[in-house]
Amino acid sequence: MKVASVLRLTAVVLLVLFIAMPQAFAFLFEPLTDNRAPAIYNQGSLLFLTLQHLRTVALATLASTVLAVALGIFVTRPSGAEFLPLSRSLVNIGQTFPPIAVLAIAVPLVGFGEKPTFIALFLYGLLPIFENTLTGLTQVSPQTLEAARGMGMNARQRLFQVELPLAFPVILAGIRLSVIISLGTATIGSTVAAKGLGEVIIAGLQSNNIAFVLQGGLVVALLAILIHDGLGLIERFAARKLGRSTDEVP
């Protein structure tokens, strides 16, 4: 077994054990506490907060993917090419405004909790998926499309049977980037009462408990590394199936 596979498996096992039985790791965090403060976050279930964090990120990424890919398809069709500048302006909104500003605007509209965090992550995740969809679709060679046309495929068949499968590794690279951005950004959702790992970090900052801050940060970091690694494996597998070099995937 390769060293990378062993490290990956070890990280997964340690992460699962920590969020399921955090008290078993208390001895590691006790040196970071003062005045007999708790070494392990005790204001909620770490497992529940992790699952809620992942849920918010997954829903926001799914919504971003649906809209960004749909826009990418639309502007690469002859009938939608003229809307490319407008589409770029729309997907850039999330990058123009900081997430905390989006939260400040969203809270009066939808209230506290998960909804404003979802909106911020949704807007922030659009750009990488949209740009990679454009790149993937425009990289499909005219010869390939001409061959598909010669086989009698209509525009819809060419899109779903030729263009999207060939563009999939590049689109997935954009989704991977969006997920990693959202995993870190979602921590600020706790400032508007959204359940997630940001709650652990904020509790540590408020009580000056470095152990809490480190716990929340480590779980988010490990999740980001493992998800990035996992999606990267899928990208490379898809690229190999298409006979492409993995260096061609952004």
Side-chain angles (χ1 to χ4, degrees), residues 183 191 240:
L183 277 169
T191 60
R240 284 196 298 270

Side-chain angles (χ1 to χ4, degrees), residues 180 183-184 219-229:
I180 301 309
L183 277 169
V219 175
V220 172
L222 276 175
L223 286 172
I225 291 170
L226 291 172
I227 291 173
H228 182 277
D229 197 27

Side-chain angles (χ1 to χ4, degrees), residues 12-227:
V12 170
V13 171
L14 286 175
L15 178 61
V16 171
L17 287 175
F18 179 67
I19 62 177
M21 300 181 295
Q23 291 299 332
F25 295 82
F27 69 97
L28 293 174
F29 295 95
E30 284 173 354
L32 300 174
T33 62
D34 295 319
N35 302 320
R36 308 178 94 179
I40 298 295
Y41 182 70
N42 59 355
Q43 299 170 31
S45 166
L46 200 56
L47 176 59
F48 171 75
L49 293 176
T50 301
L51 293 176
Q52 284 295 112
H53 194 97
L54 289 172
R55 176 182 181 273
T56 304
V57 169
L59 291 175
T61 302
L62 177 61
S64 296
T65 300
V66 170
L67 180 58
V69 171
L71 276 177
I73 292 171
F74 175 63
V75 299
T76 53
R77 306 305 97 181
S79 59
E82 62 182 292
F83 294 98
L84 177 57
L86 175 61
S87 298
R88 274 214 166 97
S89 297
L90 288 175
V91 300
N92 268 296
I93 289 176
Q95 304 293 327
T96 303
F97 296 98
I100 196 69
V102 177
L103 289 177
I105 296 170
V107 166
L109 299 175
V110 298
F112 288 91
E114 185 182 34
K115 289 180 180 179
T117 307
F118 170 86
I119 292 171
L121 299 185
F122 164 71
L123 293 175
Y124 224 56
L126 286 171
L127 183 62
I129 303 174
F130 175 76
E131 290 295 341
N132 277 46
T133 300
L134 281 182
T135 300
L137 291 174
T138 54
Q139 281 182 352
V140 178
S141 71
Q143 292 84 357
T144 301
L145 293 175
E146 189 58 38
R149 194 176 290 110
M151 293 170 61
M153 289 186 180
N154 58 34
R156 183 183 181 86
Q157 290 172 323
R158 291 195 300 272
L159 173 63
F160 287 100
Q161 297 181 33
V162 178
E163 294 181 73
L164 285 176
L166 288 174
F168 176 71
V170 182
I171 295 172
L172 188 57
I175 295 172
R176 171 165 54 99
L177 179 58
S178 180
V179 169
I180 301 309
I181 292 172
S182 293
L183 277 169
T185 307
T187 56
I188 66 170
S190 296
T191 60
V192 292
K195 291 294 181 181
L197 292 166
E199 186 174 308
V200 183
I201 297 172
I202 290 175
L205 293 173
Q206 290 177 337
S207 61
N208 198 29
N209 190 329
I210 298 175
F212 286 3
V213 177
L214 186 59
Q215 284 159 43
L218 280 175
V219 175
V220 172
L222 276 175
L223 286 172
I225 291 170
L226 291 172
I227 291 173

